[in-house]
Structure formats: structure tokens, C-alpha cells
Amino acid sequence: MYFRHNSFDLKFREPFGAVPTGSHVTLQVEAHDVTNIRLRTYYRKSERYFDMLPSDSPNLFTCSIALPSSPGLFWYDFRFNADGRSYTYGTQGDNMGGEGRIYESYPPSYQITLYDTTRTVPQWYTGGIMYQVFPDRFCKGDYPGTYHSNAMIHGNWDDSPHYFRKSDGSIAYWDFFGGNLQGIIDKLDYIQNLNVTILYINPIFESHSNHKYDTGDYSVIDPEFGDEALFKTLCAEAGKRGIHVILDGVFSHTGDDSRYFNKYGHYPGSGAYQGENSPYYNWYRFSRFPDKYESWWGIDSMPNIEELTPSYQNYIFRSEDSIIRKWTRAGASGWRLDVADELPDEFIAGLKEALVDEKDDAILIGEVWEDASNKVAYDVQRKYFMGYELDAVMNYPFRETFINFFLGNLRARDAVRKMMSLYENYPRK
């Protein structure tokens, strides 16, 4: 008995990889001493069987099928008989394609990603080289920045960073090195000489921390970095050098010390912490008001947002003066979504629609740590690559694979399989 299929090989599957909706695919197997070979497909709870017919080549069986006209994940595997027994053939069980194996029960299936082609990823991104900047630690430009009261400013650029903690482990005060938007502007020629065409900047909106992932006010550049006018200058100067600027959007949570939550009363007006009369109260998930609330990974300084709240969506992307539109108009060429797994599909799709309405060649990138084509988050099969949400993701599987390879923890052939699997599952544009 012999049976073989390899989804990485055009001999067995053509075309290779993810395909547009409504495509046709030809699937083939090599086999001998087997009978009754059938292709099983599965799509949106619908199961179908097709006979695999002999081809012109010996021991090669083939089947050509039309794929669905709507985006999603299409699955397939094989059934056959040998020596009076029934067998199946699917992937090796590691959520990757390539060479499969024979089973005597339901096998793990092969995946075909079907995506909508209404919009293609802009060429400036697909052919670009990206440089990431953490503003406070990049370059200290001549700008009279102001800092919050819990800030410690390093006098020496070469000092080591340090967390100054209280006895309970929380941050007593944050340390800063003085990097700002003017410093990035000062380094644009240097960045251009590296052949960089995309500048991805970590969060720059107002916040009391040095990392800025606990946003205090999305509508304001943190005064230690600059202001809106300086940001517009940065985007304009970068554009002169053929460099696009991408902002970091942290929308799954805010800071507790923010205009919206206002736990410490540092902002004027009423935040969610002040009670139900606050316009922001329904943005958060209180279990016992005011001190028991859902927070990002249990860190109470970062209260989680209820992203499907209409007023929050209006503020972030739906209204004409929304945050996404404001900073895209100011010069941003796209956004990177922090913890995209924790943002509902409806939120991402709505944000994407507003973004491309504002700038049709803007880009939306997601922080996704696994294979983003088949990612399941919070028991939901995500739709990142169906054509309506993300244009790209941060390639953490690449990072993990090659760190393990260079450390000697992963064989070359296994590293190749991991990379081929991403190549197979991700849309090419």
C-alpha cells in the first residue's frame, strides 16, 4: 500500500497556497495497491465527497474542483481502501501542510485560505523595508518637552533603563531618556540611507508611562514627544524621503490614568471611575464598581475596553472627527493594531473601512503571535485574512522559528516546513 500527497508541491496541488474566492484547484495523489480513492472537502459545516480519477500518469489520481465564492477556510483530506480496510490521509497533525500521513480515523485536514480580492495591499508596503522606533530611547531632539510628575529623567543617554517599583510591585515612577519626534526628524536622512521606506513608531499618544501602551488621551501627542504640528512635520519630511509613517494603535485597553477612566482625577470632567453619568462608563467592564473591573492580563493600570460599545467605535473610527481619521489626515500612512487578538472582528473591519475611506492606500497591520490565517482567539475563528480586516501581521512565527534554529533547537527541515506553511496559508497580496 502506498499513498502520498504534498500540498507544497505543484504536482499535488495547483495553484499553490491561498487563492481568491471562486478559484479552481486541482488536487492529486500518488497511490498504488489501493481502491476507491475519494477527496473529502469541508467548508462552513458543509461536507462533500469527490472521486479521484486516474490521470495520464501511472499511479497518479486527480480531481479538479471549484472553490466557494465567499472567503473563509476550505479544508480537504482523502479516503481510500486497501486490503479490505478503510483509511484516511491528512496532514501530519501539527497544523501545517506539506507531506501528510495515513490514518485509520478522521485525519487533520489540509487548509486552503480563500480571500476576497476587492482590495490589494499597497505596493509601497509589500516592497518596503521597515524600521521600528521606540521614541523615548531613539534620539533626543531639540524640543522643550514637558513630563508628568511621576517621571525621572536620565541625565546620561547611556544609563541603563530601570523600573522604580513600590513594595506591591507597581511602578512608583517611570524613567525617561528624552527621545522625541524632533529626534526622529533629525535622523530621517540616516534612516533613508539605510534604504528604509516605512517607519513604524511605537505609541506616541499622551500617557504617564515611558512605553505609552496605557493611553491617557488618543487625541493628543504626549507633550514629552511633541505636538500635532511636529507630528505633521515628521510625516511631511519622511514623505519627502519616500518614507511612510505607521502609528501604533492601542485600542483594546486604556490607562487607568486617562481622560476616559480617570481613576486619579488628573483629567477634567467625569471618567468611568467617577460613575454611570460619565460618557465613558459603558466603555469599561466593571464587576464591582469602582475598583473591580476587567483589565489587560490582570494589570489594573490598563482597564479593558468594551470595543463593541457604539460610542467607543464612534470615537475611534466611525465619526468624521474620529481618532483614526484625525491622525491619518495628519500624515500617518497606516496603523499597527496592538493585541489584535483581543479586538473583535467587527471592530477591526469597521476600523479598516474608515481607514481606507480616509486614505485608500493606507495599511493595517495586526499583532498576531501565531499563524494568522487560522487563528482562534477566545473561541472565535478569526477573519484577519479574508480581505476585510488586516493587510498584514507581525511575523512572530518567523522570529520564533529562526531563533530556535540558530540556537540549535530546531532542525533545518522543520524550520523550512514552518516557513512553507505560512507561505501556503497567507494571501500573497
Side-chain angles (χ1 to χ4, degrees), residues 93-359:
D94 52 10
N95 211 32
M96 291 186 284
E99 291 274 1
R101 54 168 288 198
I102 296 172
Y103 295 84
E104 295 188 49
S105 59
Y106 267 86
S109 301
Y110 286 94
Q111 172 184 322
I112 299 179
T113 305
L114 297 174
Y115 60 94
D116 186 274
T117 58
T118 302
R119 181 177 187 269
T120 57
V121 180
Q123 179 61 34
W124 67 261
Y125 180 80
T126 59
I129 297 174
M130 185 180 294
Y131 192 102
Q132 180 179 352
V133 168
F134 187 82
D136 179 66
R137 311 294 163 91
F138 182 65
C139 182
K140 187 174 183 178
D142 184 13
Y143 178 81
T146 58
Y147 291 81
H148 301 289
S149 59
N150 64 335
M152 191 281 285
I153 317 300
H154 287 273
N156 186 345
W157 186 262
D158 296 322
D159 283 351
S160 297
H162 187 74
Y163 278 119
F164 296 89
R165 297 186 181 275
K166 301 177 184 178
S167 58
D168 63 1
S170 63
I171 302 299
Y173 51 95
W174 297 94
D175 66 330
F176 296 85
F177 284 77
N180 52 37
L181 297 187
Q182 185 60 55
I184 301 175
I185 294 171
D186 294 344
K187 289 290 187 178
L188 283 175
D189 287 338
Y190 160 75
I191 293 171
Q192 182 185 25
N193 287 337
L194 296 176
N195 293 317
V196 168
T197 58
I198 305 169
L199 194 60
Y200 157 47
I201 307 177
N202 288 114
I204 58 174
F205 303 124
E206 185 174 83
S207 160
H208 287 200
S209 71
N210 51 29
H211 56 72
K212 309 300 178 195
Y213 283 93
D214 52 347
T215 310
D217 190 339
Y218 293 107
S219 68
V220 177
I221 303 292
D222 196 288
E224 72 202 47
F225 291 158
D227 55 21
E228 185 172 344
L230 194 58
F231 175 72
K232 289 179 177 179
T233 300
L234 167 61
C235 292
E237 289 299 318
K240 293 176 183 177
R241 296 163 174 81
I243 299 172
H244 292 77
V245 175
I246 292 177
L247 290 176
D248 212 331
V250 187
F251 301 128
S252 80
H253 54 272
T254 67
D256 61 347
D257 195 358
S258 66
R259 178 175 301 281
Y260 320 105
F261 200 79
N262 207 14
K263 186 172 184 176
Y264 307 103
H266 292 159
Y267 287 85
S270 175
Y273 195 80
Q274 278 72 55
E276 295 185 16
N277 291 329
S278 167
Y280 311 116
Y281 181 81
N282 289 331
W283 291 13
Y284 299 91
R285 305 176 183 127
F286 290 96
S287 57
R288 188 170 72 245
F289 182 82
D291 290 313
K292 294 295 182 180
Y293 48 87
E294 183 180 310
S295 57
W296 186 78
W297 288 77
I299 302 171
D300 62 6
S301 62
M302 297 183 181
N304 271 346
I305 287 285
E306 176 50 74
E307 298 93 348
L308 298 181
T309 302
S311 61
Y312 182 67
Q313 293 193 12
N314 287 339
Y315 180 75
I316 296 297
F317 60 82
R318 291 201 184 280
S319 68
E320 280 301 309
D321 58 351
S322 65
I323 295 302
I324 290 294
R325 292 182 183 273
K326 171 185 172 70
W327 296 111
T328 303
R329 289 169 185 163
S333 292
W335 294 76
R336 175 263 190 189
L337 296 181
D338 183 59
V339 292
D341 292 349
E342 300 180 28
L343 299 171
D345 284 302
E346 302 95 315
F347 183 90
I348 298 176
L351 190 154
K352 174 68 171 296
E353 183 178 359
L355 175 61
V356 298
D357 179 64
E358 195 62 47
K359 183 177 289 186

Side-chain angles (χ1 to χ4, degrees), residues 49-63:
Y49 287 85
F50 302 87
D51 291 332
M52 301 289 292
L53 302 176
S55 73
D56 294 335
S57 301
N59 300 321
L60 193 64
F61 298 82
T62 186
C63 182

